[in-house]
Amino acid sequence: MRNIRLRTKFLLALLAISGGLTTATLFAVRLSVEEKVRDSLRQDLRTSVKTYETFAAQRDESLTRSAELIANLPNIRALMTTRDRVTIQDASAGTLKLSGADLLVLADRTGKVSALQPQNTQAGETEVQAMLRHSLERGESRDWWFTGGHLYEVLLQPIEFGEPTNKSTIGFLVIGDDVSAESAKAFGKIAASDVVFQCGETIVASTLDAGHKREFSRSGIRNTTHRGELPEEVQLGAERYLVSTVNLASGASGAVSLTVLKSFDKATAFLSALNRTLILLGLLTVTAGSLLGFLIAENFTRPLAKLVGGVKALEAGDYSHPLENSSCDEVGVVTAAFTRLRETLQQGQQEQKKLEERLRQAHKMEAVGRLAGGVAHDFNNLLTIIRGHSDLLADRPGADEPQKRSVEQIQKAANRAVAMTRQLLAFSRMQVLQPSILDLNSIISEMGKMLPRLIGEHIEFTFSPDPKLAPVKADLGQIEQVLMNLAVNARDAMPDGGKLVVRTSNISLSAAEAARRPAMTAGEYVLISFSDSGQGMSEETKTRIFEPFFTTKEVGKGTGLGLATVYGIVKQSGGFIWVESAPGKGATFEIYLPK
C-alpha cells in the first residue's frame, strides 16, 4: 500500500510537471518559430536587395554597351553634325528601336535637346531638358529621371568626332530603361516579394494593391533606410510586413529608392495548424510518459545499489568495477562524481609511484655523485704523485728509448685519468667555479666554427639564435664543456649523417609547465636546445643516460662520463636539463639556465 501511494503521488506530480512543461514548450516553440520566420524573411529581404543589385548591374552593363555602340555609329555622328533639329528628331525614332531602350535623347554639345523619343509616354521636353542639364553639370554618366509619370534609369554617352588622338564632342546620347509596373511585377516574381519603387514622395511602380499602396504612402516609410540596417516591421491594413528600403541614387528628379516587402502573416499562417498538431502530440507524450514512469518507478533504486557495489569494490582496492551511468538525475550526478573520484584516486596512486621512482633515482644520483666526488679527490691525490714521479723519470738523463716511451705512456695514462677525475668532479658538483656574465649566442657562434670539424662533414650543423637573448651567469669553461659534450653525443647518435640544430631563446616557465617536468621550478630562463636526427633512445635508456660510466657504445669507445659531466655542470650552475627522445625519432636536450 505504501508503494502504491508513493507511485500515485509520483504519477500526479509527473502529470502536473509534464502538462506545465508541454504548455511552456508549445508557447516557446511558437515564439521560436515566429522569430525564425522573421529571421528567414529578413534574410530573404537581403537576398532580394542583392538580387536587384545584380539585376541593376547587368542592366547598366547592357545600357553601357548599347550607348557606346550607338554613339559610335557613323550615321549618328553624321546626323549630329547637321544640327537640324527636325532631321535629328525624325531619324531618332529608328535609333530608339535599334537601342531597345525605353527613352532616347539626342542633344548638341551645349546640352540642348535636339531629339526626344520616349517609348511608353510623352515625356515633357522641358523636364527632360532640365534633368539633362542637371546631370551634365554634376558630371554624371548615370542618373535617374522622373518625367511623364515614369522613372527612367538613364546613361549619358558623349558623341565624339575626329581622330582618336584629337576627338571633339559634337553631342550627347541619352538612353534609359523605364522602371514600370511590369518591370516591378517581374522583379517581384523573381524575389517572391512585393516591391515599391519611389522617386521622392511619389510611388512610381509597385506590386501592392490599391489599398495597401495607400497604407504604404501613409505609413511614413521613406528612402531613409540605408543598406545594412535590419528590416523593420510595419502594418499595412490588417496585414503585417517586414520591409527593407535601400537608396538607389539621388537623381536629378529626387531621391530614388526600392522597398521590398515580405508578408509576415502569410509566412506564419501555418502556425495554427502546427499548434493543433503539437497539442495532440503533447497529450500523447504526457500520457505515454506517465504510464512509462509509473512502470519504471520501482527501478529507481537500481543505480543506487550499483553505486554502493562500486564503493565496496573501491574499499577492496578494485578500481575497475563497472558503473552504469545513463541518467542525469541525483543518482546519476553522484555516480559521475564517484567515478571521477575513483579515477582521481587511481591517478594519484600512479603518480605517487612515479614520484617514488623519481625520488629513488634522485637519491641514487646524489649518492653516486658523493661517491664519485670522494673517489675523484682521493684518486686525484694519487695521480699527482704518479704524474710527479713520471716527470722526474722523464727528466732523468741517460734513459734509453724504450724507457722514455714507457714514461710517456705513463704520463698519457695519468693525463687521461686527470681528465676523468675532472669529469667526475663536474658530475658531483665539487669543482671550483669561476662564474661571469656570459652571452651564450657569442659563445655558441664562436664554437660553431669548431663544432662542424668535430662532428664531421656528414652532419649538417645549424645554429638559430634568439637576437634578444638574456645573459646568464656561469663558468665559461664549463659551458664550453657542455656544448662540446652534447655535440659529441649527437655525432655518435648519427653515424650515417643527419642534422644537428642548436637554438637559444628566452622562456618564462609557469608553475603548471614546471610541474609537468619534475625537479624544475617556475621562473625566467635562457634555453639552449640541442636537437639531432639520430637513432633516439628508449625510455629505459633515458632514465640512465646521466649516470656516470653508463654508455650504450661499444667497449673502448666511450667512458660514459660525457652526459654525466653535462648534468653536473648544469646542476652546479643552478639550471636544469631535460631530454625528449624516442627510438628512431632523434633526441632533443634542453638546458635551462637562470637569467
Side-chain angles (χ1 to χ4, degrees), residues 491-492 551 553-560:
R491 179 199 64 189
D492 295 341
T551 180
K553 303 181 180 68
E554 297 177 7
V555 177
K557 292 189 177 181
T559 62

Side-chain angles (χ1 to χ4, degrees), residues 334-346:
V334 174
T335 303
F338 176 76
T339 301
R340 292 193 297 270
L341 174 63
R342 189 172 65 175
E343 292 174 352
T344 302
L345 290 175
Q346 186 177 15

Side-chain angles (χ1 to χ4, degrees), residues 3-24:
N3 290 335
I4 294 176
R5 287 197 299 269
L6 181 60
R7 291 182 180 179
T8 304
K9 291 178 181 179
F10 174 76
L11 181 58
L12 292 176
L14 182 61
L15 285 172
I17 294 173
S18 300
L21 290 177
T22 301
T23 303

Side-chain angles (χ1 to χ4, degrees), residues 81 84 87-88 118 158 196 211 229 255 330 369 438 478 498 511 514 526 558 573 588:
T81 56
D84 184 3
T87 303
I88 296 174
V196 176
E229 292 187 2
E330 290 82 353
L438 303 179
Q478 287 193 335
V526 172
S573 302
T588 298

Side-chain angles (χ1 to χ4, degrees), residues 71 111 167 192 221 278-279 377 408 416 418 449 489 517 561:
K167 290 185 178 181
I221 298 176
L278 289 176
I279 290 173
H377 273 298
E408 288 176 357
R416 285 197 299 269
V418 168
K449 301 175 183 178
N489 183 73
R517 295 183 175 186
L561 288 173

Side-chain angles (χ1 to χ4, degrees), residues 444-445 447-453 455-464 487 498-503 530:
I444 298 174
S445 297
M447 292 195 67
K449 301 175 183 178
M450 178 185 65
L451 289 180
R453 293 194 295 272
I455 61 180
E457 297 180 352
H458 64 296
I459 296 176
E460 179 184 344
F461 174 76
T462 304
F463 175 42
S464 178
K499 293 183 179 180
L500 174 60
V501 181
V502 181
R503 298 183 178 88
F530 268 73

